[in-house]
Amino acid sequence: SLVARDNTVFVGTESGGLFRTKHYGTYMWESTLVGFKKIPVNCLLLDGTTLYAGTGTGVYSSINEGGNWTPLNNGLTNLNITTLIIKGTDLFAGTNGGGAFRSTNHGGSWTPVNNGLTSLEILSLAVKDNNLFAGTWNGGVSLSTDNGANWTLISHDFVLDPWHKIPQVIHGLVV
């Protein structure tokens, strides 16, 4: 996972660790050293000056470029976070097996939002206007128009070319 702000690039790794570099002509990578040495960092999200990390042990936030981390797991019933996204003032987390969760207080607490999802293995989330999309493992693409309260499967057999159907495993979404 990658995110960038100004001259700083953050990289989360599957084998554990979060690294950053400040570009001043050459890229010198340093470990943030705090929190994630042996934990997979599955996704990263920047919201202003707050950096969020979705890991194999939950959601964490940092307000000092990864120097210190605060766990944000109150209400999460599955801590294997696969994707994070902001929609308006709400923060959404997708998990590997626990579905989707919404926080209305910057990760202070989480509520499951899974009504209508055909798979609880959320691999990707995307936002377009008032629409929230979820790409899943073996469940296709679902759409929510009410902040995750209800989901509708939108990747089914109704495609223009019957030889090229949307697969059931969706690793990434861009809208």
Side-chain angles (χ1 to χ4, degrees):
S1 183
L2 291 167
V3 293
R5 179 181 60 227
D6 302 325
N7 289 333
T8 304
V9 178
F10 298 91
V11 176
T13 66
E14 174 70 24
S15 59
L18 179 66
F19 298 85
R20 68 179 170 213
T21 184
K22 294 185 183 248
H23 178 59
Y24 296 106
T26 61
Y27 288 96
M28 296 296 291
W29 294 93
E30 63 180 339
S31 171
T32 64
L33 299 177
V34 179
F36 306 121
K37 283 196 173 243
K38 295 185 180 184
I39 299 170
V41 178
N42 301 322
C43 56
L44 297 169
L45 174 70
L46 274 170
D47 182 29
T49 59
T50 302
L51 174 63
Y52 294 96
T55 74
T57 61
V59 178
Y60 297 84
S61 70
S62 174
I63 57 172
N64 61 357
E65 296 191 337
N68 299 92
W69 292 93
T70 302
L72 304 172
N73 298 320
N74 184 27
L76 289 173
T77 56
N78 184 306
L79 298 180
N80 191 358
I81 308 301
T82 54
T83 183
L84 294 167
I85 200 161
I86 296 274
K87 182 178 177 287
T89 58
D90 294 343
L91 177 61
F92 289 86
T95 68
N96 186 7
F101 292 83
R102 181 179 75 205
S103 175
T104 58
N105 57 4
H106 309 287
S109 61
W110 297 91
T111 303
V113 287
N114 297 317
N115 187 42
L117 283 173
T118 56
S119 171
L120 296 181
E121 295 183 57
I122 310 298
L123 300 177
S124 55
L125 294 168
V127 170
K128 174 69 171 148
D129 301 325
N130 194 43
N131 300 313
L132 179 63
F133 299 87
T136 68
W137 178 268
N138 214 21
V141 178
S142 292
L143 165 68
S144 176
T145 59
D146 57 7
N147 267 356
N150 298 287
W151 296 90
T152 303
L153 180 66
I154 61 170
S155 64
H156 36 66
D157 290 336
F158 302 110
V159 293
L160 295 177
D161 181 353
W163 295 104
H164 296 95
K165 294 181 181 180
I166 295 174
Q168 291 299 306
V169 178
I170 310 298
H171 285 281
L173 291 170
V174 176
V175 291

